Amino acid sequence: MNLFAKLFIILLSAILVNNFVLARFLGICPFLGVSKQVETAVGMGMAVTFVMALASAVTWVIQELILVNLGIEYLQTIAFILVIASLVQLVEMIIQKTSPTLYQALGVYLPLITTNCAVLGVTILNIQYEYNLIETIIHGTGAALGFTLAIVLFAGIRERLELASVPEALKGFPVALITAGLMSIAFLGFQGLL
């Protein structure tokens, strides 16, 4: 298999087949919390994409050049969390300066990217899958695009649900959870794609 075909499979797999939100059930907190409006969901998706892609590359370098060489791989989780927290602080400062409206809309969920288990999960999976640096970046970017796809689709559906006639007992969060479950089932249809 040539390099581009392998990279394409890694990317497509991370976006659709092994979607971190709808197939692996990671990153559920921002998925449910920031998906009431499409505009906010797009902003969160862009922030997560930046953090996840960059964190994948930086953590791979730290793993290969520092942790393995010094024989301290057991510090992997702590080191990766520090990298992710630093990147989230950077993103928070950039969004606050460039788009105060988006910064206000994301609210508490922006710092919560630090504790988004999807970000930590992709960095650890990159090491477990023994990807090289390019494959790591592609996998991280694909996972982030999959997160963005899921949250934007979910936000679009939730905006429509606000206008729909939903039984009183299901209004709000219950119908959102049912919708997320149906989306997850729909994404299972991609399992035979690759």
Side-chain angles (χ1 to χ4, degrees):
M1 181 184 308
N2 69 36
L3 177 64
F4 290 112
K6 185 176 182 182
L7 294 178
F8 181 73
I9 288 173
I10 290 171
L11 181 70
L12 198 58
S13 171
I15 294 172
L16 297 176
V17 179
N18 296 312
N19 186 290
F20 272 69
V21 175
L22 299 173
R24 295 183 187 268
F25 307 111
L26 295 172
I28 298 296
C29 178
F31 176 71
L32 292 173
V34 190
S35 58
K36 289 183 180 172
Q37 296 178 339
V38 171
E39 183 181 351
T40 324
V42 169
M44 176 58 97
M46 289 174 24
V48 169
T49 300
F50 177 79
V51 170
M52 205 178 273
L54 199 56
S56 293
V58 172
T59 55
W60 185 90
V61 170
I62 288 174
Q63 175 75 20
E64 295 299 321
L65 298 182
I66 298 174
L67 299 179
V68 171
N69 283 337
L70 297 177
I72 53 172
E73 294 95 342
Y74 58 88
L75 293 176
Q76 180 189 63
T77 304
I78 294 171
F80 287 7
I81 288 173
L82 289 174
V83 168
I84 292 165
S86 302
L87 290 173
V88 169
Q89 286 298 311
L90 178 66
V91 168
E92 192 173 351
M93 289 188 298
I94 290 171
I95 291 177
Q96 190 175 14
K97 287 285 183 189
T98 58
S99 177
T101 307
L102 180 61
Y103 180 77
Q104 293 295 326
L106 292 175
V108 72
Y109 291 101
L110 190 56
L112 284 180
I113 295 174
T114 304
T115 57
N116 184 340
C117 52
V119 180
L120 182 61
V122 76
T123 59
I124 291 174
L125 285 174
N126 288 333
I127 303 302
Q128 288 180 354
Y129 291 160
E130 298 179 356
Y131 285 149
N132 62 33
L133 181 59
I134 300 299
E135 292 168 345
T136 293
I137 294 170
I138 295 296
H139 184 246
T141 304
L145 292 175
F147 176 87
T148 303
L149 175 67
I151 197 170
V152 169
L153 288 175
F154 191 53
I157 293 170
R158 286 184 77 177
E159 281 185 356
R160 296 275 179 160
L161 283 174
E162 289 293 322
L163 304 174
S165 84
V166 177
E168 191 64 36
L170 295 177
K171 279 189 176 177
F173 207 62
V175 76
L177 289 176
I178 292 170
T179 304
L182 292 174
M183 284 181 65
S184 182
I185 292 171
F187 267 67
L188 283 177
F190 292 118
Q191 292 296 315
L193 184 65
L194 301 175

